[in-house]
Amino acid sequence: NYTKADIEMIRKGQGNRCWYCGADLALTGEHIDHFVPVSKGGTNDPGNLRLACPACNLSKHDHSPQEWSGRLL
């Protein structure tokens, strides 16, 4: 499980920007994304979490980074 402190550390590490598109999360809002989806073996460990803008997270849905055509490909 993760804590609010974990999310704040992730936010700082990402510069308060979406992991995928770089949008300013202060303007777009944020979703907590499981980089490797739980449905594909990912965990709630903070190392598997990214902050994403709603558009990217909803687009990525339960796809792995390799399946999704976001910034990573």
Side-chain angles (χ1 to χ4, degrees), residues 10 14 19-20 31-35 46-52:
I10 293 167
Q14 291 182 207
W19 176 259
Y20 301 104
H31 286 187
I32 299 171
D33 176 60
H34 290 85
F35 188 67
N48 188 43
L49 303 178
R50 307 293 186 270
L51 295 181

Side-chain angles (χ1 to χ4, degrees), residues 24-64:
D24 185 341
L25 296 174
L27 300 175
T28 64
E30 68 187 40
H31 286 187
I32 299 171
D33 176 60
H34 290 85
F35 188 67
V36 176
V38 174
S39 65
K40 299 193 190 256
T43 68
N44 283 317
D45 181 82
N48 188 43
L49 303 178
R50 307 293 186 270
L51 295 181
C53 70
C56 283
N57 191 47
L58 293 172
S59 172
K60 181 176 176 271
H61 189 52
D62 68 345
H63 293 99
S64 70

Side-chain angles (χ1 to χ4, degrees), residues 19-21 35 59-60 63-73:
W19 176 259
Y20 301 104
C21 73
F35 188 67
S59 172
K60 181 176 176 271
H63 293 99
S64 70
Q66 294 78 18
E67 295 168 325
W68 188 64
S69 61
R71 181 183 91 173
L72 301 175
L73 298 178

